[in-house]
């Protein structure tokens, strides 16, 4: 089966089953293994690994928790030495790091990467090592397809799954005379709400991500919600130069230039838009539920002011974009390093889901670190495992779950649609300027912008 068919199969599973990620059972250890693949592994041999995503110096509490976790891990695995680096996945620089061989042993990357990395042999086959550390059975088989090749071999460990909804400021809703328990569910309502918020409060009723590939990312999300696609099923041709994407851009143009409901700032990356949202400058913005964490913890938003609704639809319902992150292991890693890295991943990401004492301690530690327990989202594990995990942590929930009700309801009513399978980040990057021009140039020609960009994207996809 080709890469394209593998992704098509993943999309079909999500599209037919709705929240298939949560409903499916755990994967069984039935993936075929290559003979002798794990024969030279010595789990007791001294080994050193480097893990990425170390918190930056401006987050001392996060660093403290990070370093404590490393100490706890090495205490249980004295033969493994763990070093760390701040290296993290950035769409614009990641492939250069891959080509330069400068990546740590293990780090987080986006779901958009494996489809191209696996056939290019930029990820190691970790199927047998996963079985060795008894991790395969904990992984959801539908999510696992993202990191499998045509033969079912596994090349990464999915750890986080998200779907996009509508984050909204409940305080601004109240000030504008809107019901904070009834966020908009259609794009027509979003336009109406945005205009009312802007007129009543003087704040931006709605804001749009536009930079660092996020413009193309959220335009893709809007396209999905209007019944469109961005790439053909085989990933070889663009499909956004049609009615749904044009309608999405026209909506943004109307809100910006006719309604004047989008404020005065139109160049936003993820962190910047969350900061302004948390500061009460934005009424609504497309975000996954994890926006709550940064908005409240890093930018001081009052928990009572955060709301999360479903991704608005135009007709349909059509669905919402889903994606996530996975742990990749360096293709340069030895088998002993792969096993050590997987032991770290299991300790860092999965032990809390399968052991009650670890789940409870993690909840307590999270609260002590001023983090959040119980924030709604989608799990890369089976629903049974996730429900049991949440039951263990129920006494420690410190998130206003009811304020996410619109989003929670959408997880059973909206299809989950995967990100573009072929060169997704490059596609997003090329679409960024389209969104930017629509919001900054009153005479922007949507048809020409999309036609010109489609030609550029088609050239990339055909390579």
């Amino acid at each position: 089966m080709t890469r394209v068919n593998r992704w098509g199969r993943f999309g079909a599973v999500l599209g037919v089953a709705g929240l298939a990620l949560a409903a499916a059972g755990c994967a069984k250890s039935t993936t075929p293994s290559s003979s002798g693949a794990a024969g030279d592994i010595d789990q007791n041999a001294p080994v050193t690994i480097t893990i990425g995503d170390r918190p930056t110096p401006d987050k001392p509490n996060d660093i403290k928790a990070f370093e404590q976790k490393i100490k706890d891990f090495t205490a249980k695995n004295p033969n493994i030495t763990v070093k760390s680096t701040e290296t993290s996945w950035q769409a614009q620089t990641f492939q250069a790091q891959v080509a330069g061989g400068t990546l740590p042993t293990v780090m987080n990357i986006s779901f958009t990467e494996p489809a191209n990395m696996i056939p290019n042999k930029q990820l190691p086959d970790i199927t047998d090592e996963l079985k060795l550390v008894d991790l395969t059975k904990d992984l959801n088989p539908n999510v696992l397809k993202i990191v499998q090749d045509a033969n079912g071999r596994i090349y990464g460990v999915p750890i986080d799954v998200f779907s996009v909804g509508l984050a909204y400021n409940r305080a601004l809703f109240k000030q504008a005379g809107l019901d904070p328990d009834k966020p908009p569910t259609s794009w027509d309502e979003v336009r109406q709400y945005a205009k009312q918020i802007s007129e009543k409060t003087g704040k931006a009723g709605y804001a749009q991500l536009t930079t660092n590939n996020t413009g193309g990312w959220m335009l893709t999300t809007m396209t999905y919600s209007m019944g469109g696609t961005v790439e053909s099923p085989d990933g070889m041709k663009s499909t956004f130069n049609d009615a749904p994407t044009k309608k999405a851009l026209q909506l943004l143009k109307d809100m910006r230039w006719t309604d004047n409901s989008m404020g005065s700032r139109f160049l936003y990356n993820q962190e910047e838009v969350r900061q302004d949202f948390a500061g009460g400058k934005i009424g609504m913005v497309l975000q996954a539920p994890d926006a709550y964490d940064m908005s409240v913890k890093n930018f001081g938003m009052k928990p009572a002011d955060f709301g999360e609704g479903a991704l608005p639809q135009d007709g349909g319902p059509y669905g919402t974009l889903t994606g996530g992150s996975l742990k990749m292991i360096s293709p340069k890693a030895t088998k002993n390093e792969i096993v050590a890295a997987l032991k770290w991943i299991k300790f860092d990401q999965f032990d809390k889901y399968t052991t009650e004492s670890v789940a409870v301690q993690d909840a307590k530690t999270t609260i002590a670190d001023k983090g959040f327990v119980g924030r709604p989202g989608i799990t890369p594990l089976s629903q049974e495992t996730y429900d049991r995990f949440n039951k263990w942590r129920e006494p420690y929930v410190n998130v206003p779950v009811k304020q996410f009700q619109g989003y929670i309801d959408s997880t059973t009513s909206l299809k989950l649609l995967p990100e573009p399978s072929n060169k997704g980040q490059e596609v997003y990057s090329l679409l960024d300027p389209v969104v930017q021009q629509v919001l900054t140039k009153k005479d922007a020609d949507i048809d020409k912008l999309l036609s010109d960009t489609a030609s550029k994207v088609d050239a990339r996809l055909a390579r």
Side-chain angles (χ1 to χ4, degrees):
M1 189 182 296
T2 65
R3 167 190 56 76
V4 170
N5 286 337
R6 174 170 55 82
W7 271 82
R9 178 162 55 101
F10 175 56
V13 169
L14 291 173
V16 172
L19 194 62
L21 305 184
C26 288
K28 303 298 181 183
S29 299
T30 55
T31 308
S33 61
S34 54
S35 60
D40 56 351
I41 293 172
D42 181 356
Q43 294 194 62
N44 297 314
V47 60
T48 298
I49 60 172
T50 301
I51 57 177
D53 305 289
R54 177 184 174 87
T56 50
D58 60 318
K59 300 173 182 175
N61 290 336
D62 292 346
I63 291 176
K64 183 178 178 181
F66 183 81
E67 291 178 341
Q68 185 59 52
K69 183 163 277 192
I70 291 175
K71 289 179 181 178
D72 293 343
F73 173 74
T74 53
K76 291 184 177 182
N77 300 274
N79 65 305
I80 302 176
T81 299
V82 176
K83 298 180 180 180
S84 64
T85 171
E86 292 178 12
T87 302
S88 62
W89 179 81
Q90 300 290 335
Q92 295 82 3
T93 58
F94 177 66
Q95 280 301 321
Q97 291 174 317
V98 173
T102 60
L103 298 177
T105 314
V106 59
M107 65 178 285
N108 294 346
I109 62 171
S110 169
F111 274 9
T112 55
E113 302 294 352
N116 296 309
M117 295 181 73
I118 292 172
N120 289 333
K121 302 187 184 304
Q122 294 173 322
L123 294 172
D125 183 339
I126 60 174
T127 311
D128 301 299
E129 291 82 358
L130 275 168
K131 293 179 185 177
L132 193 64
V133 301
D134 195 28
L135 187 54
T136 313
K137 65 181 176 57
D138 294 324
L139 302 174
N140 186 301
N142 287 312
V143 183
L144 204 55
K145 290 180 175 67
I146 289 176
V147 290
Q148 288 179 306
D149 65 12
N151 297 315
R153 305 296 291 179
I154 303 169
Y155 295 82
V157 184
I159 59 167
D160 183 53
V161 186
F162 72 84
S163 66
V164 179
L166 181 76
Y168 63 99
N169 187 307
R170 293 171 60 89
L172 288 181
F173 265 48
K174 292 176 183 177
Q175 292 174 34
L178 298 168
D179 187 341
D181 293 326
K182 294 181 179 179
T185 57
S186 72
W187 282 107
D188 285 343
E189 288 179 336
V190 169
R191 183 177 179 183
Q192 294 166 15
Y193 282 36
K195 187 175 182 182
Q196 188 165 331
I197 291 169
S198 181
E199 290 175 348
K200 297 288 187 180
T201 71
K203 308 298 183 182
Y206 177 85
Q208 187 82 356
L209 288 164
T210 54
T211 66
N212 295 352
N213 297 14
T214 64
W217 180 40
M218 286 299 109
L219 180 60
T220 297
T221 302
M222 292 183 72
T223 296
Y224 286 0
S225 74
M226 295 183 174
T229 58
V230 170
E231 288 183 2
S232 58
D234 64 4
M236 299 307 294
K237 188 171 179 58
S238 66
T239 57
F240 54 76
N241 188 19
D242 64 358
T245 306
K246 289 179 181 180
K247 191 168 188 178
L249 289 169
Q250 187 62 51
L251 173 65
L252 293 175
K253 188 174 185 179
D254 290 343
M255 292 171 70
R256 162 67 175 100
W257 297 104
T258 301
D259 300 346
N260 193 29
S261 62
M262 294 184 66
S264 58
R265 184 172 180 180
F266 309 104
L267 298 180
Y268 273 119
N269 64 27
Q270 181 89 291
E271 186 165 333
E272 291 166 345
V273 86
R274 289 179 175 182
Q275 184 169 12
D276 276 3
F277 175 71
K281 298 178 181 179
I282 296 170
M284 297 175 289
V285 61
L286 296 185
Q287 289 284 293
D290 67 339
Y292 177 89
D293 302 22
M294 183 180 288
S295 297
V296 174
K297 183 176 181 178
N298 298 91
F299 300 131
M301 188 176 193
K302 294 178 181 178
D305 291 347
F306 187 97
E308 179 82 10
L311 178 71
Q313 303 289 295
D314 182 66
Y318 294 111
T320 182
L321 180 145
T322 186
S325 62
L326 60 105
K327 292 287 187 179
M328 72 155 282
I329 295 176
S330 169
K332 292 184 174 183
T334 65
K335 288 190 175 294
N336 283 350
E337 289 170 349
I338 290 174
V339 170
L342 290 175
K343 287 182 177 181
W344 163 256
I345 293 169
K346 185 176 181 181
F347 176 86
D348 181 41
Q349 298 291 330
F350 292 99
D351 279 0
K352 66 181 180 181
Y353 292 112
T354 56
T355 306
E356 182 174 5
S357 60
V358 178
V360 170
Q361 184 56 52
D362 178 80
K364 291 179 178 178
T365 301
T366 297
I367 291 173
D369 292 336
K370 301 188 180 341
F372 307 106
V373 177
R375 189 249 303 142
I378 299 176
T379 173
L381 305 174
S382 74
Q383 191 64 47
E384 180 183 0
T385 300
Y386 196 54
D387 287 346
R388 183 182 62 195
F389 168 71
N390 285 330
K391 188 70 176 176
W392 290 335
R393 290 157 58 100
E394 202 170 73
Y396 305 96
V397 171
N398 63 350
V399 173
V401 175
K402 289 184 178 180
Q403 293 168 204
F404 293 74
Q405 194 60 51
Y407 172 83
I408 294 170
D409 292 344
S410 76
T411 62
T412 56
S413 63
L414 293 183
K415 296 176 182 178
L416 296 175
L417 305 173
E419 296 183 82
S421 63
N422 188 14
K423 298 181 172 65
Q425 292 299 330
E426 292 184 46
V427 173
Y428 291 161
S429 177
L430 289 168
L431 285 170
D432 270 6
V434 175
V435 185
Q436 292 168 13
Q437 290 194 53
V438 166
L439 295 179
T440 58
K441 295 183 178 180
K442 192 172 185 177
D443 60 349
D445 185 333
I446 291 174
D447 288 347
K448 186 175 189 309
L449 286 170
L450 287 180
S451 178
D452 290 348
T453 305
S455 297
K456 296 175 184 177
V457 168
D458 288 341
R460 297 282 184 95
L461 297 181
R463 289 179 184 172

